Amino acid sequence: MKVGFIGTGSMGSILIESFLQSGALRPQEIIASNRTNSKIERLAEQYKGLSIAQSNTDVVLQSQIVFICVKPAEFTYVITEIKPVALPSQIIISITSPIMIAFLEQQLTSKIAKIIPSITNFMLSGATICIYGERMQREDMLQLERLLSYISEPIHVKEQFTRITSDISSCGPAFFAFLLQKFIDAAVEETGIDHAEANRLACEMLLGTGKLLTIGGFTPEQLQKRVAVPGGITEAGLRSMEKELVGVFNQLIRITHAKFDEDVGKVNLQQN
């Protein structure tokens, strides 16, 4: 099987390297194109056998599955370019959340899916959000999810929840890294602890917490109760956080959804 990638920017490269490092694909099974050749040349140099396509059309002509990993502003151009050569037997996958399944099915005769990867996939962890068009058959979904399972936990969602699932799975690592950074900075500022030591402790704590919440079987609520002894230090800290963080995440979700709606509007203008 040949898998193609149109676009090898940040997420395109993460997907390619994750598939290769996990053993899901061999370099000989990948062909990629990009506006800047240097990015693909670096990958091809690192992973001998990976093919550099001369055009986006070449990627589609030589692949059974194609991941389109470009920015919303570039998407309409890419679809127009590949439309004449895309086949009904192929699976065309967008990783660009503002691009709607309905638009792709109108433009292409291929089977259509949308996936939202995460930077956590680079560590063969985290989730991949999967959204399927009407032409995707059960065997197509299973084939795609088998591939994605090498680097993530594939989770099937409805397209109406694209943004919120992306907030949690794809944006979440940056949001919680920001919170962790603020925790570390405050520890240093308030106590004088060495920054590197605080950073190491905090990162190991987050890793362990993630394991407790996944393979450990804890829910977030159960974990808080397990750690917070009534009348103890943790409970006092949680009460403070409850007070100070009221509405923070609601506002965060409103902001990401507003930006998503803005991006969808821009894409719609390009398509009309």
Side-chain angles (χ1 to χ4, degrees), residues 72-224:
E74 302 170 23
F75 216 95
T76 302
Y77 170 79
V78 170
I79 294 300
T80 302
E81 186 179 8
I82 69 172
K83 184 175 182 177
V85 298
L87 300 174
S89 60
Q90 292 173 302
I91 300 175
I92 305 292
I93 303 161
S94 165
I95 72 163
T96 308
S97 60
I99 305 299
M100 298 293 110
I101 293 281
F103 167 73
L104 295 173
E105 290 188 326
Q106 288 169 2
Q107 296 298 312
L108 303 171
T109 61
S110 307
K111 302 168 186 178
I112 301 298
K114 178 158 65 176
I115 72 155
I116 310 299
S118 167
I119 193 171
T120 57
N121 301 158
F122 190 68
M123 297 306 296
L124 314 184
S125 185
T128 303
I129 305 305
C130 301
I131 304 161
Y132 299 121
E134 292 184 359
R135 299 183 201 127
M136 289 284 286
Q137 301 299 309
R138 178 172 171 75
E139 57 268 26
D140 301 316
M141 298 179 195
L142 289 174
Q143 180 186 24
L144 180 56
E145 290 180 14
R146 274 195 298 269
L147 180 64
L148 294 172
S149 68
Y150 278 84
I151 66 170
S152 65
E153 181 69 28
I155 298 178
H156 182 196
V157 304
K158 295 179 180 178
E159 190 169 30
Q160 71 190 87
F161 298 119
T162 298
R163 182 63 262 147
I164 188 58
T165 54
S166 300
D167 285 343
I168 296 169
S169 177
S170 189
C171 302
F175 295 153
F176 279 85
F178 177 82
L179 291 176
L180 195 68
Q181 175 198 331
K182 292 300 181 182
F183 190 13
I184 294 165
D185 290 347
V188 173
E189 182 179 342
E190 295 291 334
T191 71
I193 188 175
D194 179 72
H195 187 279
E197 184 177 353
N199 184 78
R200 182 181 177 188
L201 285 166
C203 292
E204 289 293 340
M205 173 276 296
L206 194 61
L207 176 62
T209 302
K211 290 180 178 179
L212 286 167
L213 292 171
T214 51
I215 58 178
F218 284 88
T219 66
E221 293 82 4
Q222 288 170 341
L223 184 54
Q224 290 172 65

